[in-house]
Structure formats: structure tokens, C-alpha cells
Amino acid sequence: MAAEEAFQQPFLFDRAAFLKRFPASEAKTLGVEWGRQVGRQVLKMRTNDGSEPSEVNYYLGRYERREDSLRWRPTGPFYGAKPGPAFASFDRCLYPGHGRIKPWTMTSGSQFRVEGFYDPASPEFAEEFDTIRRLGSANSSTRTTDESEIAIFWEDGPWGITPPGHFLYIAMQLLQDRGLSFMELAHAFALIGMTQCDASINAWDNKFHYDIVRPESAIRVRAPAFRNPDPRVALEPGWLSYIPTPEFPAYTSGHSTFGAAAAEMIALIYGRDDIAFSGRSPDEVLWPQLRGVTRHWTSLTQVAEENGISRIYGGVHWSIDNTQGLRAGRALARHAFESTLPKKA
Amino acid sequence: MTVRKTMPLLGCVLLWVAAAPLQAQVVSLNYERLSSLEDPLAAELGDVTYVLNGLADLPLFLDLDGDADRIESITNFQFEASTQLSNRWLAALTYFGQYVSDSAAETASEEDYTDNLALSVGSYWGTVLLGNVSGIVREQTRRLRGAGNASLAFDDTLGRLGDDGGGYLVRFGPWLFSSLIDDDDSFDLGVTYQRPTGTRDYRLAARYTDSTYTAEDGSRTFDSTAFSGVAEVIFGSSRWDIGAGYEHLSGEGLKLERWYTSAGGRLKAGVLSISLEGHYGQIEGEDEVSAAFGIQYDLARGLSANLGLNHTDGTASREGTSIVRARDNKAVLSMRYSF
């Protein structure tokens, strides 16, 4: 029932096929009824949770726009990796109100709000600016082949599986052979699912609270406005990022927050972080160059960090977007694991 | 370069950008200013979200056959009020208005302004729509529209449903079913299947239509029964599709057979979208041919320069009735702004 609501489709045939796997019995009837009750309860809990008007891509007064040179502006479809997806030019920002919807495990959307962004005239910002300009450009001479592959492997844009989808896919891969009971798996995926949603709320709260410009806009058009004395903070109008810049503010990275929250939660459920495994990209349609590519990791921490830094290699995030997103993601996952759905003794 | 001062200066830069596309990426239009109306055009009052969208288009129609050129202004707006009911159904009321002025017209048409009203209620069981929703099946099952001002003539059934009716859309995984019935009992049924396979994304669509068609000269009305299909493949930022259709027309003692095929491709590279498509068909052995080439160049959020080169050639008549008659070669240039 909750899945029907989330996916906005009646899983008539899927439900019938699933139920057909179990012989008719009183237990089956009671199970179906219990499932309905739980579904109704979840739906009741989430009705009017603020998500419905938040799907409209207008600010609706939820967050104030900043007025200085760091203010986010719409980004264009300028990127270098080919072939790649097509998408609208200069689109309206995506879900400005998402950070205000009711969280699942956090006390509020701003519970794990991060510290402020750099002063754009500071040496730290100049360093960030120069790093992204060199490393994240379409034709970077400093980015390695492996780093380019990482940028595309974790791109997971809204036209494909998305970061939460990719990490749920990884969670299924890791937990399916762990010998967990049905209830333990349900418990695990409830926690992972809730924290992925809360990661989105946390990241969107940060994004629209701080309203920080993307590297694409900063490098192509905004550089002089920063009044940074470092000569490296210079305009480069023809600069292209390697992967597409998403149409919402930079700080913090949603990818980093999703990845850290998922990796931390899977490690807590699994009982360890040092898990060696391999994975292929679930999206080989709009990034066909990923066909046959397999990446290997030795720990969940490595997975989260590779996913996070992919946005730097791709030229769509500042480094601090990644580091702060990783920190927030881990914090909210630990909080959820300790405070939500405690296991019965 | 950043345009910040006056509208005349903005206009000069727009013209310059349209004339020099290769250099346009070094120009930064201040599209934050173009979007300054964004916030006042959406509001949340109580549990209802109100959104106003608009579009203004200024097309110049150049007749390549030497007939009179003309310039129009087209203004659309859409006002929607939506809310989530306590049972989680999503309800929306939408009003759409369009004003078209034609300076070349000898007399002002009473139909310069047209409007639609539609109500929709949706849940996971699908969405029910009522009102002026006559295009819902066609939009789900058609080949992708061309870029810019491309307009491929004949690439649809001749038969049309009435403006007012009721429709239903529902999704089952990769399947999307759509249906529509109008107040004259004409109906439209459609099904679309879309799923990635390997490195490509495929979309298949089929449509069955039972409707009516009034001949080009208005002398006869036909019952139309039509079946059409579309296959589309998406690879990276390009889309390629083919379509085919068969239509049977009967009315007042006259029976006609029509079939048609069409194919096209669309590519988006940065802010540039290009499409090329062609159509060939026959009505009772008489040819209908059309082709369209379109370009859309996005200048800023909501602002684009558009071009369409459209060729149309089709004439068919039987027993003194002109079934279709269209012969035209047009270039359509326009600047378009939407919010």
C-alpha cells in the first residue's frame, strides 16, 4: 500500500504474483491484513508532511535568497562528457522547499545543518576555485582516466537511478547474502530508506539555507564579483564542467550526504565497515561508456568517499560541499540507528 | 560580459547572440533578472498551491512560395490550483488561456482568445481528468515534437475528438495506459511501453482512435477509425523515432483509406536543439508529403530563439469533395519567453 503511494501506481499484477507464492492460510490472511494496517498507518503519518507543495519548483517564501556574490543562479547544460544525457537549459531550481518537509528520523530538517560557506574573497575559496577549475573541467589535464570514470560512474542524475537508488541497490547487494531474517531485512531497509529521505532533507535544507553558486556559474560568469585578490580567481567564460551541473545550489553535496548516510547505516547494520565488494553502474543507458565497467572497493567508507569526490572530479561541486555533506550524512545515519526503530531485546 | 542596465541593451545583445551562435557561450545574459517574477507567480495559501505560468512568442512567418509574410504575437498563460486531499488524492484545477494576434488578417477574428478549463484528481489508481483534455492520448503516444518551430504536417489522424470530455491515465510499471471519451462518444485509447534495455532506452506506443473528420471544404463529415504506432530509441542526448498509421474514413456514401509513415531525429547539444523529420502517406492513392527542420537556441532561462522550416504538400479530393488541400513552404522565426 505504501509502495503504491510512493510509486503512484497500483501494483495489481506484482501484488497478485507475490501473494501467489504463499498457500492460502489463516497466517497469510492475517499477514495481508497486518500489511494493510501498517501501510495505512505510514500513509496517515506522511499525509500533509509538506512534500506536496514542495514539489513545485518555486521558493514560496520558505528560504530567503542571499543577495551577495555567492547567490546561486540557474545553470546551463554545459558539460563535456559525451555521450551524455540531454536536459532542459537553465531550468528552475529543483524542489526549493524539500528541506522543510517533515523528516523521518531527525527532529527537524535543520538538525544537522552544517557550518557556513567560505568568504569568497578568502584564500581558502581561491584554492577551491582553482582546484575545481583545473580538476573538474571537461578537458582537464590533471584528472586521471580513473577519476574521469569515477565522475561518470557515480553521476546518477535525475534521469537515471539517482543516488538513493544506487545506494539501495548496493545495500541489496551486500545484505541479501548476510543470512538476515525477513524481519531483520525489513528493519534494515526501513532504516536505510528513512535515512536516505532524511539525507535529501538535510542536503536541501543546507542548499537553500546557504544558496551557494555552482562552480560552473562562478567560473564562467561570476569570478570578478568575488573580489578575491588571488589572480587564480579569474573568469573563464568557455569553461565546461565534465559532467552536468544539477539545477540547484551547491552547498552541501546531495551525493555526498546520500552516500555517507547509506554507507554508515549499512556498516552499522552489517557490523563492520571493511567489506570488499565490486559493483557495476545501474545506469548504462544515458552513460553508455559505463558498459562493462566494474569498480572494486575495500570498505564502505571508500565507497562513500569515492561517490562524494566524484562530484569534484566532475566539476559540479566545491570540495567543502563534499566534506560537509559526508559529515552530515554520517551524523544523521548514526542518529537514526541509535534512536529509530530500536530492536526489541 | 553581463547585461545589467536597460532593456534596449538587452535587445541588442539578444539579436547579436542569435546572429552569432558560435560565440554565444561567452555571453552571460542576466537571467536572474528575467526570472524576477518567479516568486510572486506562485503562492501557497492554506493547503492550496497556486502557480501561474506564461509564454509569449513573437513568430515571423516567411512564406517561401512568395505569398505574404506575416508576424503574430502569441501569448499563453496557465493558472493552476492544486492540493492534496486528506485521503492523499491530488486534485488540481487548471485554466489555460491563449491570445493570438495576426496583424496580416483583414478582420479581427472573434476567436483571437481561446481558453480551456480542466479538473484532475489523481492517486495511485491513476488520474481522472475532466474538461478540455482532448490531447491527452495523442500527447502520450505521439512521436516527439520537433525542435523550435518545426511542425510536421499530416503526422496525426485526420479525425479529431471534441474539445470537452473525460480521460483516465494509469501506470503499471513500464506501461502507461491512457483513454479519453468526448461528449460526442468519440474515443481515444493509448498505451505506451518504455524501459531501458542495455545501453538504450526504448519507447513503444500504440493508439486507437474513433472520431470524426470534416473535409477541408466543409462539405462532408466522416467517421474516422484509426490505428497508429510509434517506436523511439534514446541514445545519449539523441532521440530517433519512426511512426506509422492507418485511417479509415467513411461518411455520406464515401469510403476512404489513408496510411502514413514518418521518421525523425532530435539532438540536443548544450543549449542547441536540432530536429529533422519527414512524413509520407497516401489518401486513396494521392500523396501527402511533409518535412520539417527545427532549431531551438536557449539564450537564458525561459528565453529562446527558434527556427522552423516546414514543407507541406498534400491534396486529395473525391466526388467533388476536397478531403485535404495543403501546399506550403514556410520559414518560421521567433523569439519566445516563458516563465
Side-chain angles (χ1 to χ4, degrees):
Chain A
M1 184 177 282
E4 289 170 335
E5 191 69 38
F7 287 90
Q8 284 292 291
Q9 53 181 292
F11 286 109
L12 285 180
F13 307 115
D14 314 71
R15 185 167 42 188
F18 180 74
L19 290 175
K20 204 175 171 183
R21 292 166 57 187
F22 306 98
S25 66
E26 187 185 359
K28 179 178 175 179
T29 307
L30 289 172
V32 168
E33 183 49 37
W34 175 249
R36 285 205 179 103
Q37 275 191 39
V38 172
R40 281 193 203 104
Q41 192 64 31
V42 172
L43 292 180
K44 188 177 174 187
M45 191 169 71
R46 300 305 299 186
T47 300
N48 295 321
D49 61 358
S51 58
E52 180 254 331
S54 298
E55 289 181 11
V56 181
N57 290 338
Y58 290 88
Y59 284 82
L60 295 175
R62 291 182 177 85
Y63 291 93
E64 278 189 30
R65 301 297 315 274
R66 69 187 304 143
E67 296 296 337
D68 62 9
S69 60
L70 286 173
R71 175 182 163 120
W72 177 81
R73 54 173 261 164
T75 49
F78 309 115
Y79 70 97
K82 295 287 181 281
F87 52 94
S89 310
F90 313 114
D91 224 350
R92 205 180 286 283
C93 56
L94 186 72
Y95 303 154
H98 190 78
R100 288 277 195 258
I101 74 171
K102 181 180 163 188
W104 290 84
T105 67
M106 300 185 294
T107 54
S108 76
S110 59
Q111 184 182 358
F112 297 99
R113 186 179 285 172
V114 302
E115 295 165 7
F117 194 75
Y118 297 124
D119 175 351
S122 66
E124 293 82 6
F125 181 75
E127 198 60 42
E128 286 260 10
F129 188 98
D130 188 53
T131 300
I132 298 304
R133 188 179 56 78
R134 287 184 295 104
L135 188 60
S137 77
N139 301 311
S140 170
S141 58
T142 55
R143 188 179 58 239
T144 66
T145 305
D146 188 54
E147 289 167 347
S148 295
E149 183 181 285
I150 287 171
I152 295 178
F153 186 91
W154 294 103
E155 197 275 336
D156 294 335
W159 32 76
I161 192 168
T162 74
H166 197 163
F167 277 94
L168 281 165
Y169 182 75
I170 288 171
M172 284 190 270
Q173 180 186 346
L174 294 181
L175 296 177
Q176 65 182 353
D177 299 324
R178 186 71 179 142
L180 300 177
S181 68
F182 182 82
M183 287 305 292
E184 287 171 323
L185 280 171
H187 182 262
F189 280 101
L191 281 173
I192 295 167
M194 286 191 288
T195 47
Q196 285 299 283
C197 184
D198 280 2
S200 71
I201 296 169
N202 167 270
W204 258 245
D205 175 71
N206 283 313
K207 285 176 184 296
F208 288 90
H209 176 74
Y210 289 112
D211 196 19
I212 299 296
V213 67
R214 287 278 179 174
E216 180 246 50
S217 309
I219 298 169
R220 290 170 66 93
V221 296
R222 190 68 70 76
F226 298 136
R227 301 183 185 284
N228 194 302
D230 192 315
R232 295 176 300 172
V233 184
L235 210 58
E236 200 172 314
W239 188 86
L240 297 180
S241 58
Y242 183 53
I243 60 174
T245 298
E247 68 276 30
F248 37 83
Y251 187 63
T252 55
S253 162
H255 270 65
S256 307
T257 315
F258 287 122
E264 187 77 15
M265 183 58 80
I266 296 169
L268 289 167
I269 293 164
Y270 206 100
R272 52 190 274 211
D273 178 72
D274 58 335
I275 305 165
F277 67 105
S278 304
R280 288 183 57 171
S281 167
D283 186 356
E284 297 177 357
V285 173
L286 293 172
W287 295 112
Q289 54 272 64
L290 290 175
R291 194 168 199 183
V293 169
T294 301
R295 297 202 60 81
H296 309 277
W297 307 282
T298 56
S299 71
L300 286 160
T301 297
Q302 186 198 359
V303 172
E305 289 178 350
E306 183 179 294
N307 165 64
I309 205 165
S310 72
R311 312 301 280 170
I312 316 302
Y313 297 150
V316 301
H317 269 294
W318 309 106
S319 296
I320 193 174
D321 302 345
N322 175 37
T323 52
Q324 293 286 28
L326 288 172
R327 186 177 300 170
R330 288 178 183 130
L332 72 89
R334 282 194 296 271
H335 169 79
F337 187 76
E338 289 160 6
S339 64
T340 310
L341 301 181
K343 282 186 177 177
K344 289 179 181 173
Chain B
M1 178 177 174
T2 304
V3 181
R4 293 179 184 279
K5 300 295 181 185
T6 62
M7 288 306 289
L9 179 58
L10 175 65
C12 291
V13 173
L14 295 182
L15 289 172
W16 179 79
V17 169
L22 293 177
Q23 298 175 45
Q25 288 191 2
V26 305
V27 174
S28 166
L29 293 166
N30 190 346
Y31 32 80
E32 285 153 323
R33 296 291 173 90
L34 288 172
S35 303
S36 61
L37 293 174
E38 180 175 299
D39 278 334
L41 298 182
E44 188 185 3
L45 300 173
D47 289 335
V48 182
T49 306
Y50 302 90
V51 176
L52 177 67
N53 296 114
L55 180 149
D57 197 17
L58 197 65
L60 169 64
F61 294 85
L62 299 173
D63 194 305
L64 303 179
D65 297 326
D67 293 334
D69 302 331
R70 70 180 204 277
I71 188 165
E72 288 182 352
S73 67
I74 301 171
T75 310
N76 296 342
F77 74 93
Q78 178 173 301
F79 179 73
E80 180 176 279
S82 61
T83 190
Q84 184 185 55
L85 306 177
S86 57
N87 60 358
R88 293 187 66 81
W89 289 7
L90 295 171
L93 184 65
T94 307
Y95 178 79
F96 175 86
Q98 181 179 63
Y99 178 79
V100 179
S101 75
D102 184 352
S103 60
E106 292 183 359
T107 56
S109 165
E110 291 180 359
E111 302 273 333
D112 280 352
Y113 182 77
T114 54
D115 60 355
N116 300 338
L117 186 66
L119 173 70
S120 69
V121 179
S123 76
Y124 59 82
W125 284 108
T127 301
V128 175
L129 302 103
L130 293 171
N132 193 328
V133 293
S134 59
I136 60 168
V137 176
R138 159 78 170 149
E139 290 302 318
Q140 295 291 340
T141 56
R142 62 171 293 165
R143 287 181 46 253
L144 190 68
R145 287 176 195 279
N149 291 324
S151 177
L152 190 66
F154 304 125
D155 201 33
D156 191 6
T157 58
L158 293 176
R160 291 283 187 277
L161 275 75
D163 287 341
D164 295 320
Y168 176 63
L169 297 155
V170 65
R171 174 174 288 283
F172 293 97
W175 299 91
L176 179 65
F177 295 90
S178 51
S179 58
L180 176 69
I181 184 164
D182 71 6
D183 52 8
D184 197 30
D185 292 339
S186 293
F187 64 90
D188 220 351
L189 301 172
V191 58
T192 303
Y193 175 89
Q194 182 166 16
R195 173 156 282 184
T197 305
T199 58
R200 288 174 177 79
D201 191 356
Y202 296 94
R203 182 175 73 98
L204 302 170
R207 177 187 176 202
Y208 178 82
T209 309
D210 184 295
S211 57
T212 57
Y213 174 63
T214 302
E216 184 270 336
D217 62 6
S219 64
R220 290 179 198 246
T221 299
F222 297 91
D223 291 327
S224 163
T225 306
F227 178 81
S228 58
V230 164
E232 176 186 270
V233 60
I234 303 168
F235 180 75
S237 58
S238 62
R239 289 173 179 239
W240 308 93
D241 54 16
I242 57 172
Y246 168 82
E247 185 167 15
H248 176 78
L249 299 162
S250 63
E252 301 174 38
L254 193 57
K255 291 187 177 179
L256 306 169
E257 307 293 327
R258 174 178 182 250
W259 63 266
Y260 57 91
T261 58
S262 61
R266 181 170 172 147
L267 175 69
K268 190 167 192 294
V271 292
L272 186 67
S273 299
I274 300 175
S275 69
L276 180 64
E277 49 194 329
H279 170 105
Y280 177 76
Q282 289 188 344
I283 303 177
E284 290 293 307
E286 296 190 63
D287 294 342
E288 56 176 46
V289 179
S290 61
F293 171 70
I295 296 177
Q296 177 178 327
Y297 193 91
D298 299 321
L299 300 162
R301 174 141 54 143
L303 183 67
S304 61
N306 298 274
L307 167 69
L309 297 174
N310 302 317
H311 166 74
T312 305
D313 188 0
T315 304
S317 58
R318 280 289 180 282
E319 297 181 6
T321 297
S322 174
I323 311 300
V324 295
R325 186 178 60 184
R327 182 168 294 170
D328 212 7
N329 291 294
K330 272 201 176 64
V332 187
L333 292 154
S334 76
M335 291 295 292
R336 186 173 297 147
Y337 177 63
S338 62
F339 60 85

